[in-house]
Amino acid sequence: MATRTRILCFVLVMILMGCCCSAKIYKVGDSEGWKAKDGTYYAWAKRKEFQVGDSLLFEYDGNVNDVTQVSGALEYQFCNSHSPKAVYNTGHDVVTLTEPGYHFFISSNHSQCVAGQKLVVSVVQYHQIPPPPPRKILPFAKDFKVGDSQEWKVPDESDFYSKWSEEKLFHVGDNLLFYYNDEVEDVLEISGDLEFKSCDTSSPVAVHNTGQDLIRLTKPGIHYFITSKIGHCEAGLKLRVVVRPLPRGRVPKKMQLSPLDRLIKWLQSFRPQPHH
């Protein structure tokens, strides 16, 4: 029994080490550091994949600058630092990303923020032990980066996104990833084919403008996306996707177990068996 207990403790320690030791520290802006420079931080963040437990290192002159964490996309977009979530001003700040989702950082100096000193990062859960899915379909969901390398911007050919969509099979539970320059574009979800054809932006279902938007396809049917920027939708920056119900064949009879599920099942094998 003592041997089994030591084995269990060893396994648990290794799992915890796997979660924690994989954390990374990212120096914001790399050699540029944290300063006003248009487009620097959008391009910098787009090349990274941030996970819960990772940290951001902000280096700057603390006498003339700071790091202000704000709560949402509107404060980020309009450089509104009046109600910050947190303010850092040491010149060498390490900010640990403790939860998934979007995290927004700006300079409280409005002119510097407008000039480009702001950062939004999209944080995901650990890859090693993903959170339990709320529905069976999620472990089999796919992520589609809209436009692939073209991303979300005015295409050279007006039917580019139509062709891109036709080549894909979308199902309920899949995700669309929109990457774009949030100072140039945005993403509007609209309700119908008429609004889609006429590029009508007057009554959107939802508006996304962070530059890194993840949109889950929760219902079967046709979903429509356009941009609100004048002339861009008419030039082809619009997307229509046909979402199919999840086919039965896509969910295997035996669900694939996550690493955590496999651990629990293995631990259960050490339970003493009843004697007959």
Side-chain angles (χ1 to χ4, degrees):
M1 184 64 186
T3 301
R4 289 180 178 177
T5 301
R6 285 195 294 270
I7 292 174
L8 296 180
C9 292
F10 174 77
V11 171
L12 292 174
V13 168
M14 292 302 294
I15 290 174
L16 292 174
M17 288 179 63
C19 292
C20 300
C21 294
S22 63
K24 297 180 181 179
I25 298 178
Y26 294 93
K27 181 181 176 182
V28 175
D30 296 327
S31 60
E32 294 283 343
W34 178 241
K35 61 183 180 181
K37 192 169 183 180
D38 188 34
T40 295
Y41 303 106
Y42 165 75
W44 178 84
K46 187 173 67 171
R47 298 190 297 267
K48 310 288 190 296
E49 183 178 78
F50 304 97
Q51 299 184 37
V52 169
D54 290 345
S55 297
L56 301 176
L57 170 61
F58 291 86
E59 289 193 339
Y60 55 94
D61 184 349
N63 294 318
V64 297
N65 215 335
D66 66 8
V67 179
T68 300
Q69 186 171 4
V70 294
S71 58
L74 286 178
E75 291 85 350
Y76 170 83
Q77 183 176 0
F78 295 106
C79 294
N80 183 349
S81 61
H82 296 310
S83 301
K85 292 180 66 176
V87 177
Y88 308 90
N89 51 21
T90 69
H92 186 89
D93 304 316
V94 177
V95 181
T96 301
L97 304 169
T98 59
E99 58 185 6
Y102 290 107
H103 297 251
F104 303 90
F105 304 90
I106 65 175
S107 169
S108 66
N109 184 316
H110 189 267
S111 62
Q112 291 189 188
C113 177
V114 171
Q117 192 171 5
K118 55 183 180 178
L119 168 71
V120 55
V121 297
S122 177
V123 180
V124 299
Q125 284 281 9
Y126 297 118
H127 290 313
Q128 292 90 344
I129 305 180
R135 296 193 302 272
K136 283 185 177 181
I137 61 172
L138 292 184
F140 307 96
K142 294 182 179 178
D143 292 338
F144 294 92
K145 181 181 178 182
V146 174
D148 296 326
S149 60
Q150 161 77 17
E151 299 187 341
W152 182 245
K153 61 183 177 182
V154 175
D156 294 332
E157 298 179 1
S158 61
D159 62 348
F160 172 82
Y161 290 102
S162 175
K163 291 180 179 178
W164 179 87
S165 176
E166 289 171 357
E167 295 171 352
K168 310 290 189 294
L169 287 177
F170 304 96
H171 292 91
V172 170
D174 289 345
N175 297 308
L176 297 179
L177 304 173
F178 288 85
Y179 286 94
Y180 55 93
N181 186 339
D182 63 341
E183 297 187 6
V184 178
E185 303 295 354
D186 57 13
V187 180
L188 270 60
E189 294 184 60
I190 55 175
S191 58
D193 195 63
L194 182 61
E195 292 87 346
F196 180 78
K197 289 180 178 178
S198 61
C199 294
D200 183 356
T201 62
S202 59
S203 301
V205 175
V207 178
H208 309 273
N209 52 21
T210 69
Q212 302 175 51
D213 303 318
L214 185 149
I215 300 175
R216 177 161 292 156
L217 303 172
T218 59
K219 298 179 181 179
I222 302 177
H223 296 245
Y224 303 90
F225 305 91
I226 63 174
T227 177
S228 69
K229 307 306 178 182
I230 297 175
H232 292 197
C233 175
E234 291 80 358
L237 190 53
K238 55 183 179 178
L239 172 68
R240 176 172 56 190
V241 298
V242 179
V243 180
R244 298 163 175 78
L246 191 69
R248 292 182 180 179
R250 194 169 168 183
V251 180
K253 293 181 180 179
K254 289 186 177 180
M255 296 289 289
Q256 295 181 2
L257 297 178
S258 69
L260 181 58
D261 292 330
R262 289 198 295 269
L263 170 65
I264 293 173
K265 188 174 181 180
W266 183 78
L267 293 175
Q268 289 173 341
S269 68
F270 287 92
R271 290 179 179 177
Q273 300 298 320
H275 296 284
H276 297 286

